[in-house]
Amino acid sequence: MAAAWLNLGQILKVNAKKFPRTVALKDERRAFTYPEVNRRVNRLAHRLLGLGLKPGDKIAVLLENSIEIVELYLATAKTGIVIVPINFRLISADVEYIAHHADAEAFVVHDDFLPTVDPIRPRLTRIPTDRWIVVGQRAEGYLPYEEWLAGAPETEPESAVRPEDPWILIYTSGTTGRPKGVVRTHESHIAFYLINAVDFGFNEHDVCMNVMPLCHINSTFFTFTFTYIGASVYIHPARSFRAEEILEIIARERITFISLIPTHYNLILNASPEARRHDRSSIRKLLCSSAPVRRKMKLDILEFFPGVQLYEAYGSTEAGIVTVLKPEHQMAKLGSIGFESLGTEFVRLLGPDKREVPVGEVGELYSRGPMLFREYYKDPEKTRASFHEGWFSAGDMARRDEDGFFTIVDRKDNMIITGGEHVYPSEVEEVVGSHECVFDCAVVGVPDEKWGERVTAVVIPRPGVDPRRITAEEILRCCRDRLAGYKRPKEVIFISPEEMPRTPTGKILHRVLKEKLRTPKR
C-alpha cells in the first residue's frame, strides 16, 4: 500500500538528512539547523508522551512567536497530540475559556504571561499539577522547558499519526462573537503546504520572515510551508510591529518572503526616511491577506518594493486559502482577490435562496477543497450552519466578474441597512481611505430612528497631517462624486490608532466599533 503524505513532524526527519547545513529556524538570539531542530523536537516529543499525554489529548500553549512554539507544533505533529495555540494578548478570562472549552490536559506558558495564567490555574482542574511547563525563567509549580528537555532521548518517538487525525485546535479571533474552536487535521495542512509551494513558487532557497502571531492560522500555514520544503524561517516575536525594525531585519537576514496585513504595509509605507534606506532587494515575493487591500496601497507597495511579486490571498481559519490574486493580474484586477487557488473546487456565490447568483451580482461565498477544516469543536450546530451541501461559508459577500475574478464586498454581518438600502462598508472605506490625509478608516452602521442605520465613517488621520486639512466636511466632499447618496457617510468621527478595535492580526472589529457608537440619534 502506498504511503500517505508525511505530516509536518514526519517530514522534519527527512529534512534533517536532506538539508543538514540549512538553518531551519532563527530568531534574534539563536539559529538551529534542520538536524538540530529535529533532535530538540524529538526530545520534546518524548517528554510530552512521558507526561502521559496520548494522541488526541490537547495541550494549551500561551507563547509569543518563538522557536519554542514552533517546536511544540512540530512535536505534537510527531506524537498525535493536539496543540491549542492561545493568543498571548488575551486576558485571563479569555485564556480560561479557551483552555476549558478545548479540554486542555497540559499547559505551556512563557514566564511573561504567568500573571495571566496563575489566577486561573486553580480552576483548570483537568490539567494535573505536573503538566504545567514554563518557557523562560523558572517558576514554582512549573517544569522549566529547557531543563525538562535536557537528557530526553533524541530518537524518533513511536506514535502512529494518521493524515486524517486532528492536529490543531485553533480558536477564531472572534470578529463576530465568542471564539469558535476550529479543528484542523494533518492532511488539511499538508495540502496547504504542497499547494502553496506550487501556487507561490517557493523553494528551499527561500528565507521566510514570520511576523504574524503563531496563534493565528496565517502563520501556521506560511511558517510551516517553508519548514516542509526545507527552507529557512526567521521568527519575529510579534509583540509589536515596528516598521524600522522589520526593514532592518529584511536587509540583514536577506528575507525573500513575508506575509503581512494591510495595517503592517501601511506602517512600512509610512516609515521614517532612515528606515526606508534599508536594502529591500532580497524580497522576491510578498503576500497581503487577512483584510481587504485598497487600490492605492497596492500601488504604493509595488513602488516601495521594486520588482517584487505581490500576491493577495483570501481565505479563513476554516477554509485555508480559497482564492489568490497573482502578480500578473495585480494591475488589471486591482481590488480583486483573484480566482480559485490550486486544488480548490470552484467557488460558489449563493443568494438568500441558496441558488447561484449571476455574474456581477453579490452572493455569499462558499468553497470546498482539501484545506477545509473538520468541524467546530463541540459545536455540531454551528458546524452544520456553516455548510451547505458540503460547501463552507465564512460569511463573506463577494461578486464574480466575467473573467472569473472575485471581489470581496464585505462580511454579511457588517452590511448596513439604511432607509431600506444595503450598503457594504468596504465600498465606502475604499473611497474614504483613498484620501491622502487618511491613515486608516472603518465604516459601520449606527442606529438611527429615521433611517434604521446611518452610515458612519470612523477615521484615523495620517500622522503629522495638519488638522485643518482633514475635516468631516473634507471627507464628505471626497465621497460626494464617488458614492450614491445613501452610501455616503452621514457622520465622520476622528479617533487615534489606539482607539480602533482590532483582532490580534490587525483586522478591524466592526462589531466592537459599532457597539461603541450605539447611541441612537434623532
Side-chain angles (χ1 to χ4, degrees):
M1 183 174 67
W5 287 106
L6 299 179
N7 74 23
L8 185 68
Q10 294 160 342
I11 201 72
L12 180 61
K13 174 185 175 182
V14 175
N15 287 344
K17 293 182 179 180
K18 191 175 178 182
F19 305 107
R21 288 179 293 277
T22 299
V23 172
L25 303 176
K26 187 175 183 180
D27 64 13
E28 58 192 359
R29 299 183 294 110
R30 300 166 294 177
F32 294 130
T33 63
Y34 272 98
E36 290 170 332
V37 171
N38 192 50
R39 289 195 291 270
R40 284 178 60 86
V41 167
N42 285 346
R43 295 206 302 268
L44 176 56
H46 282 290
R47 288 303 191 209
L48 293 176
L49 294 172
L51 292 177
L53 294 171
K54 307 178 298 299
D57 287 346
K58 319 297 192 305
I59 180 169
V61 175
L62 186 63
L63 299 175
E64 65 178 344
N65 283 7
S66 60
I67 286 175
E68 287 82 4
I69 191 171
V70 174
E71 291 172 342
L72 281 155
Y73 274 106
L74 293 164
T76 53
K78 286 199 179 200
T79 58
I81 296 166
V82 178
I83 187 170
V84 184
I86 302 177
N87 175 15
F88 55 81
R89 295 188 177 97
L90 294 180
I91 62 173
S92 295
D94 295 330
V95 174
E96 180 181 359
Y97 170 80
I98 291 173
H100 176 75
H101 185 269
D103 300 317
E105 298 190 43
F107 204 114
V108 182
V109 58
H110 192 276
D111 67 87
D112 284 353
F113 309 125
L114 289 176
T116 301
V117 171
D118 282 342
I120 63 175
R121 180 171 170 173
R123 295 192 292 275
L124 295 175
T125 55
R126 192 182 184 98
I127 305 176
T129 56
D130 62 348
R131 290 185 183 175
W132 294 84
I133 302 104
V134 65
V135 173
Q137 299 297 317
R138 294 176 63 94
E140 186 177 354
Y142 291 85
L143 295 168
Y145 185 87
E146 284 296 335
E147 295 177 35
W148 183 55
L149 291 192
E154 295 182 349
T155 56
E156 295 294 326
E158 293 183 8
S159 189
V161 184
R162 301 171 301 174
E164 66 269 22
D165 287 341
W167 171 37
I168 299 176
L169 175 52
I170 190 165
Y171 280 75
T172 62
S173 52
T175 57
T176 58
R178 198 68 153 155
K180 301 184 290 289
V182 177
V183 179
R184 299 196 54 91
T185 65
H186 290 276
E187 61 188 354
S188 69
H189 282 264
I190 297 166
F192 181 94
Y193 306 145
L194 297 175
I195 287 169
N196 283 275
V198 174
D199 236 1
F200 287 77
F202 298 136
N203 61 60
E204 68 270 22
H205 304 295
D206 275 309
V207 182
C208 165
M209 182 177 181
N210 173 280
V211 173
M212 305 282 276
L214 272 158
C215 55
H216 182 258
I217 200 66
N218 182 292
S219 277
T220 67
F221 277 161
F222 282 99
T223 296
F224 295 120
T225 293
F226 289 87
T227 63
Y228 201 92
I229 64 175
S232 299
V233 177
Y234 183 91
I235 302 168
H236 188 268
R239 288 202 196 185
S240 62
F241 186 94
R242 293 180 56 251
E244 292 76 10
E245 183 181 17
I246 298 299
L247 290 169
E248 189 275 328
I249 294 171
I250 288 173
R252 187 185 74 227
E253 302 295 334
R254 305 301 295 165
I255 303 298
T256 65
F257 171 80
I258 189 167
S259 171
L260 299 172
I261 61 172
T263 303
H264 294 151
Y265 284 110
N266 212 353
L267 292 168
I268 286 174
L269 294 171
N270 287 277
S272 66
E274 293 78 12
R276 294 168 69 92
R277 284 196 283 270
H278 283 298
D279 182 13
R280 307 183 291 276
S281 62
S282 62
I283 292 285
R284 295 195 309 119
K285 302 173 190 292
L286 289 171
L287 174 66
C288 198
S289 63
S290 296
V293 189
R294 299 189 186 106
R295 291 176 173 83
K296 184 179 184 304
M297 180 178 289
K298 284 189 180 182
L299 294 171
D300 290 344
I301 292 169
L302 291 170
E303 181 181 355
F304 189 71
F305 292 94
V308 77
Q309 292 182 307
L310 178 63
Y311 293 77
E312 185 179 2
Y314 163 78
S316 65
T317 303
E318 296 90 340
I321 285 190
V322 177
T323 65
V324 177
L325 184 66
K326 295 191 174 182
E328 60 266 30
H329 300 130
Q330 289 291 338
M331 303 310 296
K333 295 293 181 179
L334 282 168
S336 168
I337 56 169
F339 49 77
E340 291 88 349
S341 68
L342 183 69
T344 298
E345 254 186 274
F346 286 116
V347 169
R348 304 173 70 188
L349 300 183
L350 305 184
D353 58 0
K354 291 296 185 284
R355 294 183 179 180
E356 293 201 40
V357 300
V359 168
E361 291 194 14
V362 175
E364 187 171 353
L365 191 152
Y366 284 80
S367 67
R368 184 166 66 184
M371 292 180 263
L372 198 60
F373 78 127
R374 175 189 285 184
E375 62 185 348
Y376 291 120
Y377 189 58
K378 298 194 299 191
D379 202 335
E381 185 175 332
K382 281 184 180 174
T383 303
R384 283 192 298 271
S386 66
F387 282 87
H388 175 68
E389 297 178 351
W391 296 73
F392 170 77
S393 170
D396 292 311
M397 308 299 288
R399 63 167 62 92
R400 187 201 313 256
D401 69 15
E402 62 278 2
D403 297 321
F405 287 76
F406 294 90
T407 299
I408 291 292
V409 176
D410 220 314
R411 285 198 63 83
K412 184 167 62 174
D413 296 329
N414 290 345
M415 186 173 66
I416 301 167
I417 302 177
T418 179
E421 298 283 0
H422 290 187
V423 177
Y424 293 101
S426 60
E427 184 180 1
V428 185
E429 290 167 356
E430 178 73 38
V431 175
V432 175
S434 69
H435 194 285
E436 62 180 359
C437 296
V438 173
F439 180 76
D440 205 355
C441 67
V443 171
V444 295
V446 176
D448 187 280
E449 290 190 3
K450 180 178 181 180
W451 301 107
E453 288 184 301
R454 65 182 181 275
V455 180
T456 302
V458 182
V459 174
I460 299 174
R462 190 172 295 282
V465 167
D466 186 337
R468 291 172 295 182
R469 293 182 59 202
I470 182 166
T471 62
E473 292 73 21
E474 175 65 15
I475 296 299
L476 295 175
R477 185 199 63 76
C478 175
C479 297
R480 195 166 296 132
D481 297 330
R482 298 174 61 185
L483 292 169
Y486 70 90
K487 296 181 181 180
R488 296 174 201 155
K490 301 294 187 294
E491 184 178 16
V492 179
I493 299 171
F494 295 97
I495 65 172
S496 68
E498 296 74 24
E499 292 176 286
M500 185 70 83
R502 297 181 186 273
T503 69
T505 54
K507 292 183 186 179
I508 292 173
L509 286 163
H510 287 74
R511 170 181 54 83
V512 175
L513 189 60
K514 188 173 180 177
E515 286 297 319
K516 284 186 173 183
L517 303 176
R518 284 185 73 88
T519 304
K521 189 172 183 179
R522 295 179 182 273

